[in-house]
């Protein structure tokens, strides 16, 4: 996992974003009911393999303003989105949904792994997330299949423009190439 | 009753796994499921990068895809649980979350798309179980796979989050097991059956993906099965393709063949395994020999 060095300015921006998230999800109130039972972490396949990724701690740290620990790296991106935590939390805290919102926040500040950025780029270029192959129709013909569907990259780009998804890639580039503040 | 759907193969099946599409199409033909391609779709888009980066763009693109099926007057059928999850969730979220529906509606207006939310999305396994029915499938079996013991792996995106998905019971699903058992095979229970295979985590951090897979394989091996059966392209690739790396990292032996669920159905319905031309990293010849299918 590559360490993301987050500048102080970005940390301040993140602070505001996260505060908003905490309010929207009423996390302070909800986290007050969190048993700290660890059902979320105990069910989490990623936690099993990498204890640094700990949903129970992440939820608590969001509510208590100590989230800097896991936001200082790309660790939040390890979530497999299996939603087991969401299914099983006895207090009905929307663990995986909240952690997905956290990644939305991180992405806007350019904190995301290369492969995720790569998939965004593929969607802009070809309208799809799988790597394109020029030979695909030949290969499909060997299976007696019609030509592969052509995905509408233009439509994807328009939607990306509306929500400034491009900015995510620019922010990542600036952060990684930008050097120290 | 004819079953007609708008076909959304998804990019991984269409571009990387033509054998999956071939196998699924054979089964659809066999049971009179008619499909028509959706023209001008985009990536579903995959939640792991799109929902995680921008939920609004994720929902807008999904709604746009659904609107194409609406124009065809059909529900969507997909072989991919990832596409199933995204399209099904998007419709659910847009129905219940007014604020989000407003944001997405504005964006759709800008690109000239009318979304009504009238087309539902189903995974092929769901249509086979709920619409075709186990009885009809059993009747189509000409070569029962008696004696075959398999571990059914559901993967995540057919089942969770269950507040939006309705494929099966999220804690003790049965549909895929029953589809597999219709072939005469036995679905063996095992620990961590509904756990993630580690594929998505492996996309971001390979080592973590391998470690999660090892946990799955460890319990599957204990159940003494001949094969693993999956219904998800991503699980297929990870569980089959990365098994050798689990063996290397943990110095353990697994070599458990990974089969696509309609591959198994096709075998039992008399299709020659060679004609399906599946790519398998873990060799399936010993298994075919055992079943007398070589
Ligand atoms: S499962 Fe729910 S209640 Fe238990 S630690 Fe996790 S968030 Fe808290
Ligand atoms: S959704 Fe993410 S955080 Fe929740 S259990 Fe799955 S991998 Fe862990």
């Amino acid at each position: 996992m590559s360490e993301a060095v987050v500048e102080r300015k970005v940390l301040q921006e993140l602070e505001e974003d996260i505060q908003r998230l905490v309010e929207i999800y009423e996390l302070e109130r909800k986290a007050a009911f969190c048993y700290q039972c660890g059902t979320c972490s105990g069910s989490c396949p990623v936690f099993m393999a990498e204890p640094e990724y700990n949903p129970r701690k992440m939820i608590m740290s969001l509510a208590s303003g100590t989230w800097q620990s896991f936001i200082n790296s790309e660790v939040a991106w390890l979530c497999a989105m299996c939603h087991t935590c969401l299914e099983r939390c006895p207090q009905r805290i929307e663990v995986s949904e909240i952690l997905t919102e956290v990644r939305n926040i991180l992405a806007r500040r350019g904190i995301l792994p290369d492969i995720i950025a790569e998939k965004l780029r593929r969607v802009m270029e070809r309208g799809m997330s799988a790597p394109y192959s020029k030979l695909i129709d030949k290969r499909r013909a060997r299976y007696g299949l019609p030509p592969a569907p052509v995905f509408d990259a233009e439509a994807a780009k328009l939607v990306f423009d509306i929500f400034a998804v491009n900015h995510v890639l620019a922010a990542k580039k600036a952060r990684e190439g930008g050097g120290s503040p | 009753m004819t079953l007609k759907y708008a076909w959304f193969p998804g990019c991984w099946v269409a571009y990387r796994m033509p054998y999956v599409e071939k196998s699924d199409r054979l089964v659809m033909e066999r049971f009179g499921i008619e499909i028509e391609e959706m023209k001008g779709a985009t990536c579903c888009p995959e939640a792991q990068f799109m929902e995680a980066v921008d939920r609004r763009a994720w929902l807008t693109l999904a709604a746009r895809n659904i609107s194409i099926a609406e124009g065809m007057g059909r529900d969507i059928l997909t072989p991919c649980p990832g596409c199933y999850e995204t399209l099904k969730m998007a419709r659910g979220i847009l129905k219940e979350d007014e604020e989000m529906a407003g944001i997405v509606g504005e964006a759709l207006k800008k690109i000239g798309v009318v979304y009504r939310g009238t087309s539902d999305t189903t995974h092929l396994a769901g249509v086979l179980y709920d619409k075709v029915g186990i009885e009809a499938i059993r009747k189509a079996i000409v070569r029962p796979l008696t004696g075959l013991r398999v571990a059914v792996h559901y993967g995540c995106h057919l089942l969770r989050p269950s507040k939006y998905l309705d494929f099966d019971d999220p804690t003790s699903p049965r549909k895929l097991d029953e589809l597999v058992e219709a072939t005469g095979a036995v679905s063996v229970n095992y620990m961590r059956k509904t756990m993630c295979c580690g594929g998505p985590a492996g996309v971001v951090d390979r080592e973590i993906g391998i470690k999660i897979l090892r946990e799955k394989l460890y319990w599957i091996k204990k159940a003494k099965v001949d094969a693993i059966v999956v219904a998800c392209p991503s699980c297929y690739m990870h569980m089959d393709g990365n098994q050798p790396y689990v063996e290397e990292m943990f110095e353990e032996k697994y070599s458990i063949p990974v089969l696509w669920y309609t591959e198994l159905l096709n075998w039992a319905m008399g299709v020659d395994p060679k004609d399906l031309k599946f790519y398998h990293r873990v060799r399936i010849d010993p298994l075919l020999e055992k079943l007398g299918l070589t």
Side-chain angles (χ1 to χ4, degrees):
Chain A
M1 179 86 321
S2 69
E3 280 289 308
V5 184
V6 180
E7 297 171 23
R8 191 172 306 140
K9 182 172 132 288
V10 176
L11 270 180
Q12 274 163 7
E13 293 168 347
L14 283 172
E15 178 125 35
E16 287 165 26
D17 294 342
I18 299 232
Q19 198 43 49
R20 213 171 311 128
L21 175 71
V22 168
E23 281 159 23
I24 292 171
Y25 275 86
E26 300 178 77
L27 254 187
E28 256 170 72
R29 188 178 60 81
K30 277 190 190 151
F33 295 103
C34 168
Y35 294 132
Q36 289 288 296
C37 62
T39 301
C40 49
S41 301
S43 312
C44 176
V46 178
F47 176 70
M48 179 187 297
E50 173 52 72
E52 205 193 318
Y53 183 88
N54 186 333
R56 172 184 64 84
K57 278 197 182 162
M58 286 192 272
I59 292 296
M60 206 38 154
S61 72
L62 285 170
S64 57
T66 54
W67 42 267
Q68 291 81 355
S69 52
F70 77 89
I71 277 191
N72 252 325
S73 74
E74 286 172 6
V75 76
W77 289 91
L78 287 172
C79 177
M81 300 187 86
C82 72
H83 298 300
T84 318
C85 51
L86 175 75
E87 289 299 324
R88 294 190 185 162
C89 171
Q91 290 291 43
R92 303 208 177 154
I93 297 171
E94 302 95 332
V95 184
S96 53
E97 285 179 17
I98 293 163
L99 296 176
T100 301
E101 294 284 2
V102 168
R103 294 197 297 290
N104 272 221
I105 289 170
L106 292 176
R108 253 171 275 145
R109 305 298 168 201
I111 303 170
L112 67 160
D114 292 344
I115 182 64
I116 302 291
E118 163 82 27
K119 289 198 177 195
L120 290 175
R121 254 182 245 115
R122 284 184 202 154
V123 171
M124 283 192 272
E125 278 159 23
R126 296 275 174 189
M128 63 178 192
S129 74
Y132 176 75
S133 161
K134 243 177 140 163
L135 303 174
I136 186 63
D137 287 344
K138 263 194 200 149
R139 193 170 166 219
R140 286 174 61 92
R142 284 203 295 276
Y143 288 87
L145 293 171
V150 178
F151 293 96
D152 192 339
E154 282 311 309
K157 246 186 277 174
L158 285 176
V159 172
F160 276 24
D161 278 347
I162 292 171
F163 296 111
V165 178
N166 242 330
H167 169 83
V168 168
L169 298 174
K172 176 172 164 69
K173 206 167 166 197
R175 197 174 55 76
E176 285 166 358
S180 49
Chain B
M1 169 187 56
T2 22
L3 298 163
K4 291 186 178 163
Y5 292 94
W7 178 240
F8 193 88
C11 53
W12 284 83
V13 166
Y15 278 79
R16 307 218 53 195
M17 307 173 85
Y19 35 88
V20 162
E21 190 169 338
K22 160 89 174 175
S23 176
D24 279 9
R25 278 179 187 256
L26 279 177
V27 169
M28 289 190 282
E29 273 161 33
R30 185 74 179 69
F31 295 111
I33 301 168
E34 271 177 38
I35 52 169
E36 190 184 327
E37 197 140 320
M38 283 167 62
K39 296 255 184 315
T42 65
C43 181
C44 57
E46 199 183 315
Q48 196 195 3
F49 74 89
M50 199 71 249
E51 184 186 3
V53 164
D54 194 314
R55 286 190 87 225
R56 303 161 307 170
W58 174 65
L59 290 169
T60 304
L61 285 168
R64 184 186 167 278
N65 284 332
I66 296 170
S67 78
I68 296 173
E70 289 173 4
M72 300 159 70
R74 294 182 176 197
D75 286 338
I76 299 170
L77 178 58
T78 176
C80 174
C83 301
Y84 163 74
E85 180 197 33
T86 283
L87 298 172
K88 186 99 186 171
M89 269 182 87
R91 183 165 176 243
I93 292 169
L94 293 175
K95 206 180 279 175
E96 72 171 29
D97 184 339
E98 266 174 49
E99 197 191 332
M100 193 51 105
I103 295 169
V104 169
E106 277 299 306
L108 289 171
K109 207 188 285 167
K110 281 187 197 154
I111 58 168
V113 167
V114 182
Y115 167 82
R116 295 195 178 83
T118 50
S119 285
D120 197 9
T121 302
T122 340
H123 184 271
L124 178 59
V127 172
L128 289 173
Y129 187 92
D130 297 322
K131 298 282 162 62
V132 174
I134 293 296
E135 256 332 291
I137 293 171
R138 229 180 253 137
K139 277 191 197 129
I141 303 300
V142 295
R143 197 160 58 187
L145 307 174
T146 319
L148 182 70
R149 289 168 60 85
V150 301
V152 170
H153 168 72
Y154 279 84
C156 303
H157 308 307
L158 284 177
L159 304 176
R160 298 181 294 266
S162 61
K163 69 172 161 175
Y164 298 113
L165 308 183
D166 60 1
F167 173 75
D168 207 343
D169 183 314
T171 34
S172 38
R174 283 294 308 159
K175 291 185 183 174
L176 213 47
D177 299 83
E178 288 183 32
L179 282 173
V180 161
E181 293 197 320
T183 66
V186 176
S187 166
V188 182
N189 214 357
Y190 62 97
M191 278 281 287
R192 305 232 189 268
K193 184 168 174 180
T194 57
M195 191 182 116
C196 173
C197 70
V203 167
V204 175
D205 188 309
R206 191 171 158 72
E207 203 175 305
I208 291 175
I210 303 273
K211 284 183 181 161
I212 297 171
L213 177 55
R214 189 261 179 179
E215 178 72 17
K216 287 286 303 192
L217 293 174
Y218 177 84
W219 292 107
I220 288 173
K221 190 178 174 183
K222 272 199 181 304
K224 296 195 172 53
V225 295
D226 302 301
I228 298 166
V229 176
V230 298
C232 168
S234 162
C235 300
Y236 184 102
M237 283 200 174
H238 187 58
M239 299 184 93
D240 181 49
N242 284 328
Q243 247 185 81
Y245 303 104
V246 175
E247 295 183 330
E248 216 174 275
M249 186 188 287
F250 289 90
E251 296 181 16
E252 292 165 344
K253 182 85 186 144
Y254 290 104
S255 299
I256 308 167
V258 178
L259 307 174
W260 186 255
Y261 72 110
T262 63
E263 185 182 15
L264 205 68
L265 284 177
N266 275 315
W267 291 358
M269 293 191 300
V271 178
D272 186 342
K274 274 191 238 65
D275 290 344
L276 293 170
K277 293 188 283 223
F278 264 79
Y279 285 9
H280 288 284
R281 176 160 262 172
V282 177
R283 291 181 53 227
I284 63 165
D285 318 15
L287 180 64
L288 292 176
E289 220 160 278
K290 179 175 165 178
L291 290 168
L293 292 177
T294 42

